Amino acid sequence: MLEICMLASGSSGNAIYVATEQTKLLIDAGLSGKKLAAALTEIDVDPFSLDALLLSHDHNDHTCGAGIMARRYRMPLYATGPTWQAAACKMGPVPEEMCRTLPSFGEMQFADLTVESFPIPHDAAGPVGFVFRQAEKSIALVTDLGMITPDIFQMLQNVNCLVLEANHDEEMLKNGTYPWPLKKRILSSRGHLSNHHAADFLTDIISPVTTHVVLAHLSEHNNLPQLAFNTVGEKLTTAGCEPGRAISLEVARRFGPSCHICLT
Ligand SMILES: [Zn+2]
Ligand SMILES: [Zn+2]
């Protein structure tokens, strides 16, 4: 059994629960310790039972509760070397015995769960995406990236469940109120994936083994859940992989547990 649940998703905070029979991980902790504990309790997970916390990158919406979670619940905290350097001052003191290094490109084993991490293009220090594998099942988690590189394409092939960023609608962003430098940053190859980028990539990567797609990290100001769902859904239908038949397509909620998926 390989399980994932989005606890929060978007620029106001990200946290994802990933578990197997023997392992429970938290990926990112971009909410207060109190909110993270409440979200975990909502899905009947005791924060003390978590085996580790892994960080994708140093941005506040992924790390602001990381220090408190590691201290309060005594869980090892994994981050790449550059992420540690960039995030250390924001997270407060983390006991030395809790500090672990996450490979930028490599593989780790947590009991029955294999975690692959790989670099993604984003304007952060050493950001990574993840593929989680248990027995024959696999889940990819990739948000906060400006483009899909050939390496990412390779890593995400033949994965059962894809959690992918659909950050913004390009027209909403271009016509919105953000200052131009911020718009430029979001649209750049080290920014965030748009609904159309996500849809194009998904139509290329989806294979007969794909059963679930989750759209994540939606912008509060430059996207709408229904718009992201329709943009991706329509492209998938045109490409012959109709959501709702062979593939379940969901949009992660901004706050609170959503997209709770169990692969068995
Ligand atoms: Zn983010
Ligand atoms: Zn980010």
Side-chain angles (χ1 to χ4, degrees):
M1 187 264 303
L2 182 57
E3 179 184 357
I4 187 165
C5 183
M6 308 300 285
L7 302 177
S9 190
S11 48
S12 36
N14 296 273
I16 301 103
Y17 172 70
V18 174
T20 62
E21 281 92 346
Q22 296 173 23
T23 311
K24 293 176 181 174
L25 301 182
L26 184 63
I27 314 300
D28 289 336
L31 300 171
S32 69
K34 206 173 159 186
K35 284 184 179 164
L36 286 165
L40 287 162
T41 306
E42 225 180 293
I43 56 164
D44 290 326
V45 176
D46 178 354
F48 281 106
S49 69
L50 292 170
D51 294 296
L53 167 57
L54 278 59
L55 299 182
S56 63
H57 64 294
D58 63 281
H59 287 163
N60 272 346
D61 58 320
H62 298 258
T63 57
C64 71
I68 187 80
M69 291 301 279
R71 288 191 292 277
R72 187 174 291 167
Y73 302 108
R74 306 289 301 168
M75 67 180 87
L77 177 50
Y78 288 80
T80 65
T83 299
W84 271 118
Q85 281 188 347
C89 58
K90 307 178 202 168
M91 292 193 298
V94 177
E96 211 176 314
E97 67 274 18
M98 298 287 133
C99 301
R100 309 283 160 83
T101 302
L102 180 72
S104 288
F105 208 154
E107 195 177 298
M108 287 190 306
Q109 197 66 36
F110 294 88
D112 57 346
L113 174 64
T114 307
V115 179
E116 297 167 1
S117 46
F118 50 90
I120 55 172
H122 187 51
D123 57 354
V128 291
F130 298 101
V131 174
F132 306 96
R133 296 185 192 276
Q134 194 259 346
E136 298 300 304
K137 299 298 174 191
S138 52
I139 296 173
L141 171 63
V142 194
T143 68
D144 298 69
L145 73 171
M147 62 182 284
I148 303 288
T149 63
D151 279 346
I152 296 173
F153 194 92
Q154 192 64 34
M155 293 299 297
L156 268 49
Q157 272 185 348
N158 296 317
V159 165
N160 303 122
C161 170
L162 284 151
V163 181
L164 181 69
E165 167 165 65
N167 179 260
H168 56 274
D169 173 78
E170 285 178 16
E171 290 310 308
M172 279 181 78
L173 176 65
K174 284 175 187 164
N175 297 323
T177 56
Y178 280 13
W180 174 239
L182 181 56
K183 289 181 183 178
K184 220 166 95 179
R185 182 185 87 74
I186 293 169
L187 289 165
S188 80
S189 60
R190 285 164 55 83
H192 291 276
L193 276 195
S194 71
N195 294 341
H196 280 289
H197 279 138
D200 287 342
F201 169 63
L202 285 166
T203 53
D204 287 343
I205 195 82
I206 277 174
S207 76
V209 303
T210 313
T211 52
H212 294 80
V213 171
V214 173
L215 304 179
H217 210 295
L218 269 69
S219 167
E220 188 179 358
H221 304 288
N222 305 307
N223 208 352
L224 296 165
Q226 196 62 48
L227 182 58
F229 183 92
N230 289 349
T231 306
V232 172
E234 278 163 21
K235 274 209 182 161
L236 290 184
T237 304
T238 310
C241 28
E242 198 170 334
R245 294 227 177 134
I247 297 172
S248 141
L249 175 64
E250 294 179 80
V251 180
R253 275 169 54 190
R254 179 163 294 280
F255 294 115
S258 68
C259 308
H260 200 159
I261 294 163
C262 264
L263 304 176
T264 53

